[in-house]
Structure formats: structure tokens, C-alpha cells
Coordinates of all heavy atoms in Angstrom, one line a residue:
S126 N 2.3 -132.2 0.2 CA 1.4 -131.6 -0.9 C 0.6 -130.4 -0.3 O 0.4 -129.4 -0.9 CB 0.5 -132.7 -1.5 OG -0.4 -132.1 -2.4
L127 N 0.0 -130.7 0.9 CA -0.9 -129.7 1.5 C -0.1 -128.4 1.8 O -0.6 -127.3 1.6 CB -1.5 -130.3 2.8 CG -2.6 -131.3 2.6 CD1 -3.0 -131.9 3.9 CD2 -3.8 -130.8 1.8
R128 N 1.0 -128.6 2.4 CA 1.8 -127.4 2.8 C 2.3 -126.6 1.6 O 2.4 -125.4 1.6 CB 3.0 -127.8 3.7 CG 2.4 -128.4 5.0 CD 3.5 -128.7 6.0 NE 4.2 -127.5 6.5 CZ 3.7 -126.7 7.4 NH1 2.5 -126.9 8.0 NH2 4.3 -125.6 7.8
K129 N 2.6 -127.3 0.5 CA 3.0 -126.6 -0.7 C 1.9 -125.8 -1.3 O 2.1 -124.8 -2.0 CB 3.5 -127.6 -1.8 CG 4.9 -128.1 -1.4 CD 5.4 -129.1 -2.5 CE 6.8 -129.6 -2.2 NZ 7.3 -130.6 -3.2
K130 N 0.6 -126.3 -1.0 CA -0.6 -125.5 -1.5 C -1.0 -124.4 -0.6 O -2.0 -123.7 -0.8 CB -1.7 -126.5 -1.7 CG -1.5 -127.5 -2.8 CD -2.6 -128.5 -2.9 CE -2.4 -129.5 -4.0 NZ -3.5 -130.6 -4.1
G131 N -0.3 -124.3 0.5 CA -0.5 -123.2 1.5 C -1.4 -123.5 2.6 O -1.7 -122.6 3.4
Y132 N -1.8 -124.8 2.8 CA -2.6 -125.2 3.9 C -1.7 -125.2 5.2 O -0.5 -125.6 5.1 CB -3.1 -126.6 3.7 CG -4.3 -126.6 2.8 CD1 -4.1 -127.1 1.5 CD2 -5.6 -126.3 3.1 CE1 -5.1 -127.1 0.6 CE2 -6.6 -126.3 2.2 CZ -6.4 -126.7 1.0 OH -7.5 -126.8 0.1
R133 N -2.3 -124.9 6.3 CA -1.6 -125.0 7.6 C -2.0 -126.3 8.3 O -3.2 -126.7 8.2 CB -1.9 -123.8 8.5 CG -1.6 -122.4 7.8 CD -1.8 -121.2 8.7 NE -0.8 -121.2 9.7 CZ -0.8 -120.2 10.6 NH1 -1.8 -119.4 10.7 NH2 0.2 -120.2 11.5
T134 N -1.1 -126.9 8.9 CA -1.3 -128.2 9.5 C -0.9 -128.3 10.9 O 0.1 -127.7 11.3 CB -0.6 -129.3 8.7 OG1 0.8 -129.0 8.6 CG2 -1.2 -129.5 7.3
A135 N -1.7 -129.0 11.7 CA -1.4 -129.1 13.2 C -1.8 -130.5 13.6 O -2.5 -131.2 13.0 CB -2.1 -128.0 13.9
V136 N -1.3 -130.8 14.8 CA -1.6 -132.1 15.4 C -2.2 -131.9 16.8 O -1.7 -131.1 17.6 CB -0.3 -133.0 15.6 CG1 -0.6 -134.2 16.5 CG2 0.1 -133.5 14.2
L137 N -3.3 -132.6 17.1 CA -3.8 -132.7 18.5 C -3.8 -134.1 18.8 O -4.6 -134.9 18.3 CB -5.2 -132.1 18.5 CG -5.9 -132.2 19.9 CD1 -5.2 -131.4 20.9 CD2 -7.4 -131.7 19.8
T138 N -3.0 -134.5 19.8 CA -2.9 -135.9 20.2 C -3.2 -136.1 21.7 O -2.9 -135.2 22.5 CB -1.5 -136.5 19.8 OG1 -1.4 -137.8 20.3 CG2 -0.4 -135.7 20.5
A139 N -3.6 -137.3 22.0 CA -3.8 -137.6 23.4 C -2.7 -138.5 24.0 O -2.8 -139.0 25.1 CB -5.2 -138.3 23.6
A140 N -1.7 -138.8 23.2 CA -0.6 -139.6 23.6 C 0.2 -139.0 24.8 O 0.1 -137.8 25.0 CB 0.4 -139.9 22.4
Q141 N 1.0 -139.8 25.5 CA 1.9 -139.3 26.5 C 2.9 -138.3 25.8 O 3.2 -138.5 24.7 CB 2.6 -140.4 27.2 CG 1.8 -141.4 27.9 CD 2.6 -142.6 28.5 OE1 3.5 -142.3 29.2 NE2 2.3 -143.8 28.1
N142 N 3.4 -137.4 26.6 CA 4.2 -136.4 26.0 C 5.4 -136.9 25.3 O 5.7 -136.5 24.2 CB 4.7 -135.4 27.1 CG 3.6 -134.5 27.6 OD1 2.8 -134.0 26.8 ND2 3.6 -134.2 28.9
K143 N 6.1 -137.9 25.9 CA 7.3 -138.5 25.3 C 7.0 -139.3 24.0 O 7.7 -139.2 23.0 CB 8.1 -139.3 26.3 CG 8.8 -138.6 27.4 CD 9.6 -139.5 28.3 CE 10.3 -138.7 29.4 NZ 11.1 -139.6 30.3
I144 N 5.9 -140.0 24.1 CA 5.4 -140.7 22.9 C 5.0 -139.8 21.8 O 5.3 -140.0 20.6 CB 4.3 -141.7 23.3 CG1 4.9 -142.8 24.1 CG2 3.6 -142.3 22.0 CD1 3.8 -143.8 24.6
A145 N 4.3 -138.7 22.1 CA 3.8 -137.8 21.1 C 5.0 -137.1 20.4 O 5.1 -137.0 19.2 CB 3.0 -136.7 21.8
K146 N 6.0 -136.8 21.2 CA 7.2 -136.1 20.6 C 8.0 -137.1 19.7 O 8.4 -136.7 18.6 CB 8.2 -135.7 21.8 CG 9.4 -135.0 21.2 CD 10.3 -134.5 22.4 CE 11.5 -133.7 21.9 NZ 12.4 -133.2 23.0
A147 N 8.0 -138.4 20.1 CA 8.7 -139.4 19.3 C 8.0 -139.6 18.0 O 8.6 -139.8 16.9 CB 8.9 -140.7 20.1
E148 N 6.6 -139.7 18.1 CA 5.8 -139.9 16.9 C 5.9 -138.8 15.9 O 6.0 -139.0 14.7 CB 4.4 -140.2 17.3 CG 4.2 -141.5 18.0 CD 2.7 -141.8 18.4 OE1 1.9 -140.8 18.4 OE2 2.4 -143.0 18.6
I149 N 5.9 -137.6 16.4 CA 6.1 -136.4 15.5 C 7.5 -136.5 14.9 O 7.7 -136.1 13.7 CB 5.9 -135.1 16.3 CG1 4.5 -134.9 16.8 CG2 6.4 -133.9 15.5 CD1 3.5 -134.9 15.7
G150 N 8.5 -136.9 15.7 CA 9.8 -137.1 15.1 C 9.9 -138.1 14.0 O 10.7 -137.9 13.0
L151 N 9.0 -139.1 14.0 CA 9.0 -140.1 12.9 C 8.5 -139.4 11.6 O 8.9 -139.8 10.5 CB 8.1 -141.2 13.2 CG 8.5 -142.2 14.3 CD1 7.4 -143.2 14.6 CD2 9.8 -142.9 13.9
I152 N 7.7 -138.4 11.7 CA 7.1 -137.7 10.6 C 8.0 -136.5 10.2 O 8.4 -136.4 9.0 CB 5.7 -137.2 10.8 CG1 4.8 -138.4 11.2 CG2 5.1 -136.5 9.6 CD1 3.5 -138.0 11.8
G153 N 8.3 -135.7 11.2 CA 9.1 -134.5 10.9 C 8.4 -133.3 11.4 O 7.3 -133.0 11.0
E154 N 9.0 -132.6 12.4 CA 8.4 -131.4 13.0 C 8.1 -130.3 11.9 O 7.2 -129.5 12.1 CB 9.2 -130.8 14.1 CG 9.4 -131.8 15.3 CD 10.2 -131.1 16.4 OE1 10.6 -129.9 16.3 OE2 10.6 -131.8 17.4
E155 N 8.9 -130.3 10.9 CA 8.7 -129.3 9.9 C 7.4 -129.3 9.1 O 7.0 -128.4 8.4 CB 9.8 -129.4 8.8 CG 9.8 -130.6 8.0 CD 10.5 -131.8 8.6 OE1 10.8 -131.8 9.8 OE2 10.8 -132.8 7.8
Y156 N 6.6 -130.4 9.3 CA 5.3 -130.5 8.6 C 4.2 -129.9 9.4 O 3.1 -129.8 8.9 CB 5.0 -132.0 8.5 CG 5.8 -132.7 7.4 CD1 6.8 -133.6 7.7 CD2 5.5 -132.5 6.0 CE1 7.5 -134.3 6.7 CE2 6.2 -133.1 5.0 CZ 7.2 -134.0 5.4 OH 7.9 -134.7 4.4
F157 N 4.5 -129.3 10.6 CA 3.4 -128.9 11.4 C 3.6 -127.4 11.9 O 4.7 -127.1 12.3 CB 3.2 -129.8 12.6 CG 3.0 -131.2 12.2 CD1 4.0 -132.2 12.4 CD2 1.8 -131.6 11.6 CE1 3.8 -133.5 12.0 CE2 1.6 -132.9 11.2 CZ 2.6 -133.9 11.4
D158 N 2.5 -126.7 11.9 CA 2.6 -125.3 12.5 C 2.4 -125.3 14.0 O 2.7 -124.4 14.7 CB 1.5 -124.5 11.8 CG 1.7 -124.3 10.3 OD1 2.8 -123.6 10.0 OD2 1.0 -124.8 9.6
A159 N 1.7 -126.4 14.5 CA 1.5 -126.5 15.9 C 1.3 -128.0 16.3 O 0.8 -128.8 15.5 CB 0.2 -125.7 16.3

């Protein structure tokens, strides 16, 4: 909904690199600009 309204979205996480990548994969990289 946010992205359809033109909002930009990003994630800042403290997770380990491999865990962070896997968690983003659960959601979908296409949802984030960074």
C-alpha cells in the first residue's frame, strides 16, 4: 500500500548478513529501495 502511494521504504537491521538476506527474502526485495 505504501509503495503504491509513492512512499519509499528501506530496512536497517542489526541481524547477521546471511540472516538479514534470508529475512528480506521472506518478504520480497522488491518492497525496498535500500
Side-chain angles (χ1 to χ4, degrees):
S126 175
L127 290 175
R128 294 186 68 80
K129 285 180 178 178
K130 292 177 181 177
Y132 286 101
R133 305 185 72 184
T134 53
V136 168
L137 175 64
T138 177
Q141 298 176 56
N142 286 323
K143 289 183 179 180
I144 290 177
K146 183 176 181 180
E148 289 181 341
I149 292 299
L151 290 175
I152 302 168
E154 294 182 8
E155 67 274 14
Y156 285 107
F157 306 106
D158 297 293

